[in-house]
Amino acid sequence: MSGYFKDNISYKDRTVFSKIYVAQRGYNILGWRDQGLIGMVLRPGTDCPISLVGMIEHSNIDSILRIHKELFREKLGVVKNFEHKIVLKPDAVPVVHKVRNVPMSMRSKLKQHLDKLQSENIIEPIDSSQWVSPIVVALKKNDELRLCVDLRSLNRNILVDCFPLPKIQDLLAQLGGAKYFTSLDLRAAYHQVELTEDSKPLTAFNTPFGAYQYLRLPFGLASAASLFQKLMFKVLGSIQGVIAYQDDILVYSENIRMHLTILNQVLTALKEHGFTLKKRKM
């Protein structure tokens, strides 16, 4: 990708101001968001110089979604037959941080958030640990709480998997000639991976309501990104026509029949390994 600029996109009587990305090669692609804003509804096969992301025959896509409806259940998935072990460096020295101040105006939301994570078996309360990290809380634009565990002290003391993250340029190069796309997004991706028993105490963190530890892979852990990319390669790496970058999965193809076949293969693999997806991104 060479960069982007912002300009008007017009179709019939509608105009929207949007961000336009510039690639060195490939087809022009118009995403579903801008399609909806300008009211562009074209069926596959329409003579148009733009590939419309997400415009697949609804009757076929609906049948595939019914077959794989378990993937879109509300309960968070758990990857089968896999646990992540956090490996400490030989000279690692435990660090215990004190509780950081949380504004009184946020404490109620923090407790609700902690209770929700506990109900989903992502965290559990503990009495003590040799490793205890502090937290940072902030409010999102929608007024929901964002909880961040500051794992920097732990991260400096763990060994990180060397599995590489793919380069964006290489991923974009694979899309040349593709006309049909489906974007999939894993639900709280890292939290679908369980930790080994000896790894859980390393992820402990302090709050005004006591200490907790993670039962699942936490965001912000230095070994998480490479580990998760390696896991996605194991699950989807043998399927042609799919790109997986962390929790974002893109299925692409030159025709609808091929696209539906690949999509079915991807959803089958994800279901067999215990993952769940966000339905709203389909």
Side-chain angles (χ1 to χ4, degrees):
M1 185 177 69
S2 300
Y4 71 87
F5 63 95
K6 293 184 177 181
D7 204 348
N8 290 325
I9 299 175
S10 299
Y11 178 71
K12 294 184 176 179
D13 59 342
R14 296 191 187 182
T15 299
V16 297
F17 189 70
S18 184
K19 184 182 292 186
I20 301 171
Y21 291 89
V22 180
Q24 295 179 354
R25 53 173 294 184
Y27 289 84
N28 300 314
I29 300 174
L30 184 63
W32 64 268
R33 173 184 173 276
D34 289 332
Q35 293 174 41
L37 290 176
I38 62 176
M40 176 178 279
V41 180
L42 298 180
R43 306 303 296 170
T46 302
D47 185 16
C48 177
I50 298 176
S51 296
L52 300 177
V53 180
M55 298 304 293
I56 301 174
E57 292 288 356
H58 289 292
S59 59
N60 292 328
I61 198 74
D62 286 345
S63 64
I64 291 179
L65 293 180
R66 282 195 297 271
I67 294 172
H68 299 288
K69 62 181 181 180
E70 182 184 347
L71 276 168
F72 304 98
R73 64 187 184 275
E74 290 300 319
K75 187 176 180 181
L76 186 64
V78 181
V79 178
K80 299 176 182 178
N81 305 316
F82 183 83
E83 293 179 333
H84 178 51
K85 179 179 177 61
I86 301 173
V87 181
L88 292 174
K89 295 178 181 178
D91 58 348
V93 178
V95 179
V96 175
H97 288 271
K98 295 181 180 180
V99 181
R100 287 180 181 169
N101 182 53
V102 175
M104 293 300 298
S105 60
M106 294 186 183
R107 291 199 178 191
S108 176
K109 289 188 176 183
L110 173 60
K111 187 61 169 66
Q112 292 176 9
H113 187 69
L114 292 170
D115 289 345
K116 181 175 184 295
L117 292 177
Q118 186 177 343
S119 69
E120 295 177 338
N121 293 318
I122 296 173
I123 63 173
E124 66 178 1
I126 59 171
D127 294 324
S128 62
S129 175
Q130 290 185 314
W131 292 86
V132 182
S133 298
I135 63 170
V136 178
V137 295
L139 290 179
K140 302 178 184 178
K141 291 183 179 179
N142 59 5
D143 206 38
E144 291 183 0
L145 187 92
R146 181 187 300 277
L147 170 65
C148 299
V149 179
D150 186 351
L151 295 170
R152 286 178 293 180
S153 294
L154 175 63
N155 286 338
R156 286 192 289 265
N157 287 280
I158 65 176
L159 296 176
V160 179
D161 194 307
C162 295
F163 194 85
L165 297 181
K167 296 180 180 179
I168 299 299
Q169 306 94 297
D170 295 338
L171 297 181
L172 292 175
Q174 297 179 40
L175 301 180
K179 297 181 180 179
Y180 303 98
F181 304 83
T182 296
S183 175
L184 305 172
D185 191 11
L186 293 171
R187 183 192 299 271
Y190 287 7
H191 290 342
Q192 298 192 45
V193 178
E194 293 184 308
L195 294 172
T196 60
E197 284 299 322
D198 57 342
S199 296
K200 295 172 184 177
L202 303 178
T203 68
F205 59 95
N206 258 328
T207 80
F209 310 102
Y212 294 81
Q213 68 182 15
Y214 276 94
L215 305 176
R216 310 282 185 92
L217 185 65
F219 292 92
L221 186 69
S223 59
S226 293
L227 171 279
F228 200 83
Q229 192 66 41
K230 185 177 182 179
L231 178 60
M232 296 310 298
F233 181 78
K234 176 183 177 182
V235 174
L236 301 175
S238 63
I239 303 175
Q240 297 294 319
V242 59
I243 288 173
Y245 188 88
Q246 295 293 286
D247 59 341
D248 291 313
I249 301 168
L250 182 66
V251 178
Y252 61 95
S253 66
E254 296 182 0
N255 59 70
I256 294 176
R257 178 177 294 183
M258 182 188 302
H259 193 88
L260 295 176
T261 298
I262 299 171
L263 180 60
N264 184 61
Q265 292 175 344
V266 170
L267 295 179
T268 298
L270 292 173
K271 183 168 64 176
E272 288 177 349
H273 284 82
F275 286 101
T276 53
L277 293 164
K278 294 179 183 177
K279 190 171 184 178
R280 60 184 174 81
K281 280 216 109 165
M282 281 297 297

